[in-house]
Amino acid sequence: MSLPSDEVKKGLLRAPQRSLLRALGLGDAEIARPLVGIANSYNTVVPGHMHLDRLARLAAEGVRQAGGTPLEFNTIGICDGLAMGHAGMYASLPSREVVADSVELMARAHGLDALVLVASCDKIVPGMLMAAARLDLPALMLTGGPMAAGRHEGRLVDLISVFEAVGRVQAGALSPEGLAALECAACPGPGSCAGLFTANTMACLAEALGLALPGGATALAQSERRAELALASGRAVMALLARDRRPSQILTPAAFENACRVDLALGGSTNTCLHLPAIAHEAGVEFTLTDFDRLSQSTPHLALLSPAGEHRLEHLEAAGGVGAVMKALAPLLHLESPAVNGGSMADYLPPAVSDYQALGRRVIAGLEEPLSPQGGIAVLFGDLAPEGCVVKAAAVAPQMRVHEGPARVFEREEEAVAAYQAGAIAPGEVVVVRYEGPAGGPGMREMLALTALIAGGPLNGKVALVTDGRFSGGSRGAVIGHVSPEAAAGGPLALVKDGDLIALDIPGRAISLKVAEAELAKRRSAWRPPAPRFARGALARYAASVGSAAQGAILKGN
């Protein structure tokens, strides 16, 4: 079988290239073997990435044991937690494209034969999966694993506990000293933040797609099992190469349905409504918000993990992980779909659904008694969002699932935060934050600073938030994001004024703006797009080329 690396290292004309490979310390035997890229997002900026150097070394050892030559390279990795609540968040979603492009370019330039993709966190994992689909080389995803939950005053805590505690301090319900003690306890070490936020949701979906080994999503970052998975991933990618099993054979429409159903059953992050369509686009599969909506109607919600509940990823791991969730969902899944373990998704299922309980509740409910008959993510449509918008329905208070209230309109997140801190937002209002979409932001900033203030303060369960931006996987409440078309594109969100009535019906999957069409037409004729926030550089280029959130915020021309 001819390999891409043959173009780099074989024949008389490639003596200069072989000379460079020898400078790496490779001999004839190593040069003759397949060249396997270890794409690694290791850095010492992000807690989810700080341990990936060890996992990459173990994956490389697995490649060597199976007869390949590993070559490691790095990508960038942005921590949304560190970037949250300020201008740094503009860079977050655009970084997904940089990750995908960097993996693609390194693999193409150096004729790599296969890839082990080592990453944690939102944007980085989906970016690498996009690259795998685009390149269609034998590839396997090795995620870094979740952080253990923190322990504080007899309860489990995580990063979101700290974000929400800021609101409690401002409301006078917690002292600054109490916040400082919580701050020191919430994040005890390496790994993706402990709840079912976007990083861990994407790890679960990588496994459910069939592009990660069984158990790859939930083993803790510092566990021995995580190390075993790293070594096994190196061996497994060589088996993929030997069988010539490629992402195009795994990333089928059935695989995306499987992953989406797992997401819905877990009540995962709404960011998957961006990432799954983007990965599908790279794989040549059409998968959009309408598919989330269709599948949500028939997929039960089976788990209540932080931020919707008290369970963390370590509890899901103890209950059997993603495999156990898929076992519960088995009648709804395409278990014949192929996977990187060499078999099918049926091999990922344990013999039985776990009845494991933690904190007084079963971690994974069964189909016979689901938490809800419909999935944890809902897609709403209506005259305010003709192309759709999304809400983490599993994390919405019952009294806010149907709500109508007057709009309070802000042109960016900082204005809304300032209004909240000034006590200028009233119960019952629908807070509108616009011009935060893919192009208008640019980059669809996550608004965890705002949602956490609301969730931790006296307005918890009393206001709704609607935006063309997005929310952290750690957000909870009646927070509706991804409103499409976005305001910067002239979508209806751009026409809303203070006091306009907005009606939400999450069970009915509807969102409406109660303003007469004649009045909207008058406002539309007077509307002009705002000036771009960035005139040059990466963010200006991104704003000029990014598409609608309803199709995954993919770049035009990609």
Side-chain angles (χ1 to χ4, degrees):
M1 178 176 68
S2 177
L3 295 174
S5 65
D6 291 345
E7 291 291 315
V8 174
K9 65 189 183 184
K10 285 192 173 181
L12 177 67
L13 295 178
R14 296 296 179 255
Q17 284 80 4
R18 290 193 298 273
S19 181
L20 289 169
L21 292 173
R22 294 181 193 282
L24 298 174
L26 304 181
D28 288 340
E30 290 84 5
I31 293 172
R33 295 171 185 162
L35 302 184
V36 178
I38 311 290
N40 188 2
S41 61
Y42 163 76
N43 60 62
T44 59
V45 179
V46 186
H49 300 192
M50 62 187 289
H51 63 302
L52 297 184
D53 55 340
R54 174 173 178 254
L55 297 183
R57 287 194 298 270
L58 289 167
E61 179 57 29
V63 168
R64 287 191 196 92
Q65 290 177 5
T69 296
L71 299 172
E72 185 178 351
F73 62 92
N74 284 84
T75 72
I76 65 168
I78 285 175
C79 177
D80 286 357
L82 290 172
M84 195 72 66
H86 57 86
M89 183 49 69
Y90 289 124
S92 176
L93 186 60
S95 74
R96 185 186 71 179
E97 314 307 317
V98 177
V99 170
D101 290 351
S102 63
V103 174
E104 177 197 3
L105 294 174
M106 286 293 287
R108 292 193 192 282
H110 303 108
L112 300 179
D113 301 314
L115 292 166
V116 179
L117 306 165
V118 186
S120 290
C121 301
D122 185 19
K123 268 72 68 188
I124 302 93
V125 171
M128 288 198 175
L129 292 172
M130 289 166 64
R134 189 183 299 171
L135 288 161
D136 203 27
L137 297 170
L140 184 149
M141 189 78 230
L142 170 63
T143 51
M147 183 187 294
R151 270 74 177 169
H152 180 63
E153 296 183 345
R155 65 187 182 96
L156 297 180
V157 293
D158 53 39
L159 178 67
I160 305 307
S161 307
V162 186
F163 269 101
E164 294 187 359
V166 174
R168 292 169 58 208
V169 171
Q170 293 191 331
L174 180 68
S175 69
E177 294 76 18
L179 175 62
L182 175 60
E183 170 190 326
C184 294
C187 299
S192 303
C193 298
L196 191 67
F197 316 140
T198 310
N200 289 322
T201 301
M202 284 308 307
C204 291
L205 299 198
E207 186 176 337
L209 282 167
L211 276 183
L213 290 179
T218 55
L220 289 179
Q222 293 186 292
S223 67
E224 187 55 38
R225 189 176 183 211
R226 179 61 52 187
E228 292 168 357
L229 282 163
L231 189 65
S233 294
R235 296 173 181 150
V237 80
M238 292 301 297
L240 286 174
L241 181 59
R243 289 191 300 270
D244 197 28
R245 178 168 281 190
R246 298 170 182 263
S248 56
Q249 298 166 276
I250 295 172
L251 296 177
T252 63
F256 285 98
E257 288 202 358
N258 285 343
C260 186
R261 286 197 188 273
V262 168
D263 185 17
L264 294 165
L266 285 170
S269 167
T270 53
N271 279 315
T272 58
C273 297
L274 293 173
H275 299 325
L276 271 185
I279 298 163
H281 176 77
E282 298 290 355
V285 173
E286 184 174 348
F287 195 86
T288 66
L289 276 185
T290 57
D291 294 289
F292 272 90
D293 182 52
R294 170 177 59 85
L295 294 169
S296 181
Q297 304 289 339
S298 60
T299 304
H301 181 212
L302 302 181
L304 205 60
L305 281 79
S306 176
E310 289 298 310
H311 291 147
R312 268 62 177 194
L313 265 288
E314 58 198 67
H315 301 123
L316 183 60
E317 163 74 355
V322 172
V325 176
M326 295 182 73
K327 179 72 174 182
L329 289 172
L332 303 176
L333 299 180
H334 305 281
L335 296 177
E336 75 285 354
S337 295
V340 291
N341 71 330
S344 70
M345 293 307 300
D347 302 324
Y348 284 50
L349 275 56
V353 177
S354 172
D355 60 359
Y356 174 77
Q357 291 193 359
L359 305 173
R361 181 191 289 268
R362 187 174 172 182
V363 175
I364 304 170
L367 281 183
E368 69 285 354
E369 290 186 39
L371 301 174
S372 167
Q374 296 186 337
I377 294 174
V379 181
L380 315 183
F381 293 92
D383 53 13
L384 190 57
E387 295 178 3
C389 56
V390 299
V391 59
K392 195 171 188 176
V396 178
Q399 71 272 19
M400 293 298 296
R401 293 175 66 81
V402 177
H403 177 74
E404 181 176 309
R408 282 295 310 279
V409 182
F410 302 97
E411 308 299 299
R412 59 199 310 244
E413 181 191 14
E414 287 85 350
E415 294 178 10
V417 170
Y420 175 89
Q421 292 178 317
I425 296 174
E429 290 184 329
V430 178
V431 178
V432 173
V433 183
R434 63 190 176 195
Y435 299 114
E436 292 283 8
M444 287 188 82
R445 288 195 296 174
E446 291 182 344
M447 299 185 188
L448 181 57
L450 177 58
T451 61
L453 282 172
I454 294 172
L459 292 180
N460 182 33
K462 298 177 182 178
V463 297
L465 174 58
V466 175
T467 181
D468 50 7
R470 61 195 176 95
F471 300 108
S472 161
S475 294
R476 61 187 176 96
V479 293
I480 294 90
H482 305 211
V483 172
S484 301
E486 64 176 292
L493 199 67
L495 308 180
V496 181
K497 291 186 175 182
D498 282 346
D500 290 346
L501 287 180
I502 294 176
L504 311 175
D505 182 357
I506 294 173
R509 302 298 199 265
I511 183 169
S512 61
L513 175 62
K514 296 197 168 184
V515 176
E517 183 53 44
E519 171 62 19
L520 289 178
K522 185 168 74 171
R523 295 180 191 179
R524 190 174 291 112
S525 65
W527 177 82
R528 298 293 181 272
R533 288 200 172 113
F534 295 88
R536 56 187 296 183
L539 294 175
R541 294 195 301 273
Y542 181 83
S545 60
V546 69
S548 170
Q551 283 79 46
I554 60 177
L555 298 186
K556 300 165 187 174
N558 223 14

